[in-house]
Amino acid sequence: MRILVTGSKGVVGQKLVQELAERGNSVFGVDIQHHPGEVGYIQRMSNEEWTYSRCDIGEYRQIERVIKEAGPFDLVYNCAAEFGRWNGEDYFEQMWKSNLIGLKNIIRLQEDHKFKLVHFSSSEVYGDYDEEMLESVMDTVEIKQMNDYAISKWANEMQIRNSIKLFDTETVVVRLFNTYGQGEFYHPYRSVNCKFCYHALHGLPITVYKGYFRSSTYIDDCVRTVANISENFITGRVYNIGSNEFHDIETLADIIWKYTKAPQKLIEYKEAEVLTTKIKKLNNDLSIKELNHKETISLEEGVKKTIDWMIDYYRLKR
Amino acid sequence: MRILVTGSKGVVGQKLVQELAERGNSVFGVDIQHHPGEVGYIQRMSNEEWTYSRCDIGEYRQIERVIKEAGPFDLVYNCAAEFGRWNGEDYFEQMWKSNLIGLKNIIRLQEDHKFKLVHFSSSEVYGDYDEEMLESVMDTVEIKQMNDYAISKWANEMQIRNSIKLFDTETVVVRLFNTYGQGEFYHPYRSVNCKFCYHALHGLPITVYKGYFRSSTYIDDCVRTVANISENFITGRVYNIGSNEFHDIETLADIIWKYTKAPQKLIEYKEAEVLTTKIKKLNNDLSIKELNHKETISLEEGVKKTIDWMIDYYRLKR
């Protein structure tokens, strides 16, 4: 199968490219920066096989060119997006452009070129819904998203629904729950898991909000399940992709602080964070049933793997 | 002096920040990606002193916010730009946005906030002018730029001239000549020096066009001179910043191939490249006189330093 992965240098994208290639697919990646190995258009820039191009999906000409020159593709995974709540507040121009204009560009091309699409959404669409998050509650409960990033993800899902209705496009949506792990290079807008690990290793402070619960998902488990969609594509489906490893934030900090032996004084405990979902507990029955979702790595194992990788990646001493 | 450097994670910017700080200035940097150590706006992201912010100068709100929240600045170095001829053809959307809208945003803020500005232009503005490139030929000779990137650089210089005329803004323009060296991390659109070194080390082929001459400038020599502007700012000036180390491309390839012991068969020799200036010989009398420009590192030394750095940076074996 010929597959395009947008956001191929991102945390999920880089692993997904690898997984799909190992299964024998021909995989092409795009992301927003130049990288060694890419091939230019007017001037050839490398003699390697062409597997990567710089491409901002928010720029129609660039994504159209990839589809035309590196395609045709049977399947496109759209992992390209500006990620994170605070990122979406501090950088809303990039976020709206990549997430909304970007997906719309892809949908327009999909309507023309007829590839299948897997689009990455987020548990953030569930807003402050405080019961178990089942996919279908988005069709039955009136939910308001609590930040620009969440709103954009939900707007994306509606763009897709409308296109399926109007043009019979074939798309699957996945809503990821707190995916973390090896390969999640740090910046301040990353997952709480990444952030805590990095801060513990660098002697930076963190704030732990009490009584907040998350379903953390190790990257390998997430990516395997997402890759399985290529082998069982049911158009129109929406899947929660996440682990039943349901934990509070105190527990996460405990594991990290024990393993790194970081000073306890770096942790400040607080009671409440504004506009943040208190409990995110997913129901993943559908992805288990149809996508053979499996949890092979516990929170404790996953956090340790993440820390070990970070120490190597940032050339730290233990 | 309080100084802002845009493009502070770029090849020139990162060195310039360092140089200006070592001279006792208070330096703030912005670039288009997130980095560890940055401080958020709505939510604080680090306890470090705030010296860096993500900021796309093509987005007015972001650059205005930096000026307001991290300023006031006495001086702004605008190194932020999409770089390179082929990059400008393959990625013209980003190029026009960063280079034209970006600078215009800064000029508008300059008109309001009255900081001094140093803007980075390029030898590419001289087009195919085939005599010694003296700054003033741009006022006396009708020259056409040969690619979008060059056109954008010339358009920038005209934006600045108009602003000086209309609003008495204080700006110096520097035209860089083939700056290269340590810190120039590779992608296929980099300087010919960077490209050849990287290709030699990775067994990738190169094409050498015969009879093309360049003035190569080691990064340290370039940056020292550019930093000197902060100590002798003469508004309205345009400076060529470059070395008298005038050489053909064959000589450059020879030095690199000897030092790396790369196979000769990687080099293909050709006669002519389309729309490329054959000879770029600068006159740097003015920067020597007013900015104390010095050449301390020869082409051969500079290339060896670049290769040594690359081997370490990319974790290669000799």
Side-chain angles (χ1 to χ4, degrees):
Chain A
M1 198 181 281
R2 179 74 173 155
I3 302 177
L4 173 65
V5 177
T6 70
S8 67
K9 301 292 185 184
V11 178
V12 172
Q14 61 189 355
K15 285 269 184 182
L16 184 59
V17 165
Q18 203 181 335
E19 175 79 19
L20 291 167
E22 281 170 12
R23 296 187 189 190
N25 297 291
S26 163
V27 187
F28 194 88
V30 301
D31 212 311
I32 55 172
Q33 292 290 307
H34 288 304
H35 286 277
E38 71 176 278
V39 173
Y41 290 87
I42 291 170
Q43 191 189 47
R44 289 194 74 81
M45 296 294 187
S46 165
N47 275 353
E48 291 175 40
E49 194 199 351
W50 195 24
T51 58
Y52 178 79
S53 173
R54 180 181 179 178
C55 166
D56 179 345
I57 63 165
E59 298 288 348
Y60 182 78
R61 187 186 65 89
Q62 291 182 16
I63 182 64
E64 184 193 43
R65 178 171 61 179
V66 167
I67 303 278
K68 284 188 174 165
E69 300 210 15
F73 297 103
D74 306 299
L75 179 60
V76 174
Y77 281 93
N78 184 36
C79 313
E82 288 281 330
F83 169 76
R85 286 181 301 135
W86 292 108
N87 186 38
E89 298 304 313
D90 284 344
Y91 301 94
F92 58 77
E93 304 92 340
Q94 288 98 326
M95 194 276 294
W96 285 104
K97 184 180 173 204
S98 295
N99 297 15
L100 269 289
I101 302 174
L103 175 63
K104 195 72 177 179
N105 284 340
I106 290 171
I107 288 173
R108 285 280 171 263
L109 288 160
Q110 183 190 20
E111 289 162 0
D112 200 17
H113 293 266
K114 308 291 176 199
F115 48 79
K116 291 182 169 71
L117 175 64
V118 178
H119 176 72
F120 286 73
S121 186
S122 165
S123 61
E124 284 283 302
V125 300
Y126 292 106
D128 59 355
Y129 183 69
D130 59 1
E131 296 175 47
E132 189 182 69
M133 291 165 174
L134 183 66
E135 288 89 345
S136 61
V137 302
M138 296 305 296
D139 300 319
T140 55
V141 182
E142 211 278 323
I143 289 172
K144 291 188 178 65
Q145 289 74 35
M146 297 189 295
N147 55 75
D148 269 36
Y149 171 69
I151 297 166
S152 85
K153 286 296 180 182
W154 180 236
N156 274 168
E157 292 199 25
M158 289 188 286
Q159 288 179 305
I160 287 165
R161 283 169 194 234
N162 293 335
S163 172
I164 291 173
K165 275 188 200 151
L166 287 171
F167 298 100
D168 283 327
T169 46
E170 298 178 271
T171 301
V172 167
V173 169
V174 293
R175 296 177 187 148
L176 303 194
F177 281 71
N178 203 34
T179 303
Y180 77 99
Q182 185 170 344
E184 191 180 3
F185 42 90
Y186 173 81
H187 60 59
Y189 298 88
R190 290 292 187 201
S191 76
V192 61
N193 302 43
C194 171
K195 193 159 171 163
F196 280 14
C197 290
Y198 185 90
H199 283 220
L201 290 170
H202 288 78
L204 295 164
I206 63 163
T207 304
V208 171
Y209 294 96
K210 289 184 186 171
Y212 284 72
F213 286 80
R214 291 291 178 271
S215 301
S216 281
T217 315
Y218 196 72
I219 182 76
D220 295 5
D221 289 336
C222 167
V223 163
R224 188 189 322 105
T225 300
V226 169
N228 289 346
I229 297 172
S230 67
E231 293 158 18
N232 187 31
F233 188 97
I234 304 171
T235 191
R237 276 286 194 273
V238 178
Y239 297 105
N240 289 334
I241 309 274
S243 163
N244 284 318
E245 186 89 38
F246 187 60
H247 62 87
D248 63 5
I249 301 299
E250 291 99 306
T251 303
L252 175 67
D254 280 352
I255 295 171
I256 295 168
W257 256 248
K258 252 177 223 152
Y259 192 58
T260 58
K261 303 190 180 69
Q264 282 297 324
K265 64 168 191 214
L266 292 173
I267 306 177
E268 184 184 3
Y269 293 92
K270 284 193 181 168
E271 291 303 325
E273 190 178 11
V274 67
L275 279 181
T276 303
T277 313
K278 195 134 185 164
I279 293 169
K280 279 196 195 177
K281 182 166 174 45
L282 92 166
N283 178 304
N284 60 6
D285 291 350
L286 192 62
S287 63
I288 290 170
K289 184 181 162 207
E290 294 188 348
L291 301 178
N292 195 23
H293 177 68
K294 284 179 186 159
E295 299 172 30
T296 67
I297 295 165
S298 71
L299 181 65
E300 184 155 352
E301 286 172 307
V303 165
K304 287 178 179 175
K305 283 164 80 82
T306 304
I307 292 166
D308 290 345
W309 169 81
M310 249 184 209
I311 288 167
D312 179 64
Y313 185 78
Y314 292 108
R315 306 186 189 199
L316 306 174
K317 286 181 188 117
R318 244 180 213 283
Chain B
M1 197 181 283
R2 179 74 172 157
I3 302 177
L4 172 65
V5 176
T6 70
S8 67
K9 301 294 184 184
V11 178
V12 173
Q14 62 190 355
K15 285 268 184 182
L16 184 59
V17 166
Q18 203 180 337
E19 175 78 21
L20 291 167
E22 280 169 13
R23 296 187 189 190
N25 298 291
S26 163
V27 187
F28 194 88
V30 301
D31 213 311
I32 54 172
Q33 292 290 307
H34 288 302
H35 286 277
E38 71 176 280
V39 174
Y41 291 87
I42 292 171
Q43 191 188 47
R44 289 194 73 81
M45 295 294 187
S46 166
N47 275 354
E48 292 176 38
E49 194 200 351
W50 195 22
T51 59
Y52 177 80
S53 173
R54 180 181 179 178
C55 166
D56 179 345
I57 63 164
E59 297 288 349
Y60 183 79
R61 186 186 65 90
Q62 290 182 16
I63 181 66
E64 184 193 42
R65 178 170 60 177
V66 167
I67 303 277
K68 285 188 174 166
E69 300 210 13
F73 297 103
D74 306 298
L75 179 59
V76 174
Y77 281 92
N78 184 35
C79 312
E82 288 282 330
F83 169 77
R85 287 181 299 136
W86 293 109
N87 185 38
E89 298 304 312
D90 284 345
Y91 301 94
F92 57 78
E93 303 92 342
Q94 287 98 327
M95 195 275 296
W96 286 105
K97 184 180 173 202
S98 295
N99 298 14
L100 270 290
I101 301 174
L103 175 63
K104 196 71 177 180
N105 285 340
I106 290 172
I107 288 173
R108 285 281 171 263
L109 288 161
Q110 184 191 18
E111 290 161 359
D112 198 18
H113 293 265
K114 307 291 176 198
F115 49 79
K116 291 183 170 68
L117 175 64
V118 177
H119 176 71
F120 286 73
S121 186
S122 165
S123 62
E124 284 282 303
V125 299
Y126 292 107
D128 61 354
Y129 182 67
D130 58 1
E131 297 175 48
E132 190 181 69
M133 291 164 173
L134 183 67
E135 288 90 344
S136 61
V137 302
M138 296 304 296
D139 299 320
T140 56
V141 182
E142 211 279 323
I143 288 171
K144 291 187 176 69
Q145 288 75 36
M146 297 190 296
N147 55 75
D148 271 35
Y149 171 69
I151 296 166
S152 84
K153 286 297 179 182
W154 180 236
N156 274 168
E157 293 199 23
M158 290 187 287
Q159 289 179 305
I160 287 166
R161 282 169 194 233
N162 293 336
S163 172
I164 291 173
K165 274 187 200 153
L166 287 171
F167 297 100
D168 283 325
T169 45
E170 298 178 90
T171 301
V172 166
V173 169
V174 293
R175 296 179 186 146
L176 302 194
F177 281 71
N178 203 35
T179 304
Y180 76 99
Q182 185 170 343
E184 190 181 3
F185 41 91
Y186 174 82
H187 59 61
Y189 298 88
R190 289 292 186 200
S191 76
V192 60
N193 302 44
C194 171
K195 192 159 171 164
F196 281 14
C197 291
Y198 186 90
H199 282 222
L201 289 171
H202 288 79
L204 295 165
I206 62 162
T207 305
V208 171
Y209 293 97
K210 288 184 185 172
Y212 284 72
F213 286 80
R214 291 290 180 271
S215 300
S216 280
T217 314
Y218 195 72
I219 182 78
D220 294 5
D221 289 337
C222 166
V223 163
R224 190 189 321 104
T225 301
V226 169
N228 289 344
I229 298 172
S230 68
E231 293 158 19
N232 188 31
F233 188 96
I234 304 173
T235 189
R237 277 285 194 274
V238 179
Y239 297 104
N240 290 333
I241 309 273
S243 163
N244 283 316
E245 185 91 38
F246 186 61
H247 62 87
D248 62 5
I249 301 299
E250 292 99 308
T251 303
L252 176 66
D254 280 353
I255 295 171
I256 295 167
W257 256 249
K258 252 177 222 151
Y259 191 60
T260 58
K261 302 191 179 70
Q264 282 297 324
K265 64 168 192 216
L266 292 174
I267 306 177
E268 184 184 3
Y269 293 93
K270 284 193 182 168
E271 293 302 327
E273 190 178 11
V274 68
L275 280 180
T276 304
T277 314
K278 195 131 185 167
I279 293 169
K280 278 195 194 176
K281 184 168 174 46
L282 92 166
N283 178 303
N284 61 6
D285 290 352
L286 192 63
S287 64
I288 290 171
K289 185 182 162 205
E290 293 187 348
L291 301 178
N292 194 24
H293 178 68
K294 284 179 186 158
E295 298 171 30
T296 67
I297 294 165
S298 70
L299 181 64
E300 185 155 352
E301 286 171 307
V303 164
K304 287 178 179 174
K305 282 164 80 83
T306 304
I307 291 166
D308 291 344
W309 169 80
M310 249 183 210
I311 287 167
D312 179 63
Y313 186 77
Y314 291 110
R315 307 186 187 198
L316 305 175
K317 285 179 188 122
R318 245 180 212 282

